[in-house]
């Protein structure tokens, strides 16, 4: 209700109907609480697609595009983007956070699986995962500024094409 910066652990405890010490035992401050919430929500978007009969590349592309849509529409992320976007700046320009590291681990694993089944091009999976993180982050964080030029459905189509083309083995036709 108040934005992340104005949220206190005392307010969280009051609204959760628990004692302040209960909350403080788990989180030292509101930033740690918000960080844990963001990581939990990001983790929930990484459910592997259950596309029967699809190769690893198709599953990874679909998972990323769906995760970006989910994050962009998520109430917590929407609130942060609207009221406290400067909080995300650290994780855009200064350092990797836990959520980003989880994305990198997931992407690396999926790229390795795709390389084994031949659906993903050769290359260093860690470097490729890092590029996917940059692409996904940009789509999640900056899509709002181009909404007048590209709606959510168009973004999904173009993001799918960008990621699929990036991962596709050389010589494979679209």
């Amino acid at each position: 209700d108040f934005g992340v910066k104005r949220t206190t652990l005392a307010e969280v405890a009051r609204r959760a109907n628990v004692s302040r010490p209960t909350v403080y035992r788990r989180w030292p401050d509101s930033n740690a609480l918000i960080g844990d919430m963001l990581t939990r929500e990001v983790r929930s978007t990484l459910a592997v697609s259950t596309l029967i009969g699809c190769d690893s590349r198709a599953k990874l592309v679909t998972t990323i595009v769906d995760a970006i849509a989910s994050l962009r529409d998520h109430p917590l992320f929407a609130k942060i983007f609207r009221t406290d976007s400067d909080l995300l700046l650290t994780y855009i320009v200064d350092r990797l956070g836990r959520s980003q590291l989880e994305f990198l681990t997931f992407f690396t694993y999926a790229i390795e699986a795709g390389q084994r089944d031949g659906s993903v091009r050769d290359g260093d999976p860690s470097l490729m995962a890092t590029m996917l993180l940059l692409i996904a982050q940009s789509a999640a964080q900056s899509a709002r500024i181009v909404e007048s030029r590209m709606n959510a459905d168009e973004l999904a189509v173009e993001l799918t094409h960008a990621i699929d083309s990036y991962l596709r083995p050389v010589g494979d036709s679209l």
Side-chain angles (χ1 to χ4, degrees):
D1 289 342
F2 307 117
V4 174
K5 288 181 192 173
R6 293 177 30 201
T7 299
T8 65
L9 289 184
E11 179 65 16
V12 169
R14 185 183 72 70
R15 287 186 180 216
N17 205 23
V18 298
S19 70
R20 286 174 43 187
T22 299
V23 175
Y24 278 99
R25 273 194 290 273
R26 179 92 186 237
W27 297 283
D29 56 38
S30 59
N31 286 338
L33 170 65
I34 298 299
D36 280 354
M37 284 176 36
L38 293 173
T39 298
R40 182 193 70 203
E41 296 307 313
V42 164
R43 193 176 287 142
S44 74
T45 68
L46 290 179
V48 179
S49 297
T50 56
L51 303 173
I52 306 300
C54 287
D55 58 38
S56 295
R57 184 183 76 243
K59 289 177 185 176
L60 177 57
V61 170
T62 299
T63 299
I64 293 171
V65 172
D66 289 350
I68 297 308
S70 177
L71 290 174
R72 287 184 61 237
D73 295 337
H74 193 284
L76 177 61
F77 287 96
K79 179 72 171 187
I80 291 171
F81 283 137
R82 262 193 331 275
T83 63
D84 297 306
S85 59
D86 57 314
L87 292 174
L88 299 174
L89 190 59
T90 296
Y91 304 104
I92 297 170
V93 299
D94 287 334
R95 70 179 182 88
L96 291 172
R98 283 179 295 163
S99 300
Q100 292 159 311
L101 292 171
E102 288 197 24
F103 271 119
L104 287 172
T105 299
F106 176 80
F107 292 168
T108 300
Y109 173 80
I111 289 167
E112 290 169 344
Q115 288 174 333
R116 283 191 300 274
D117 73 19
S119 65
V120 172
R121 69 176 173 83
D122 289 335
D124 182 327
S126 177
L127 296 177
M128 294 167 70
T130 302
M131 182 53 69
L132 286 182
L133 176 69
L134 293 173
I135 294 167
Q137 250 183 210
S138 177
Q141 296 166 346
S142 299
R144 192 176 64 192
I145 65 173
V146 295
E147 281 176 334
S148 65
R149 300 176 59 97
M150 178 183 287
N151 66 38
D153 292 336
E154 293 164 334
L155 173 72
V157 168
E158 294 304 317
L159 183 58
T160 297
H161 179 71
I163 296 170
D164 188 68
S165 297
Y166 176 69
L167 296 172
R168 184 175 295 279
V170 176
D172 270 11
S173 62
L174 298 173

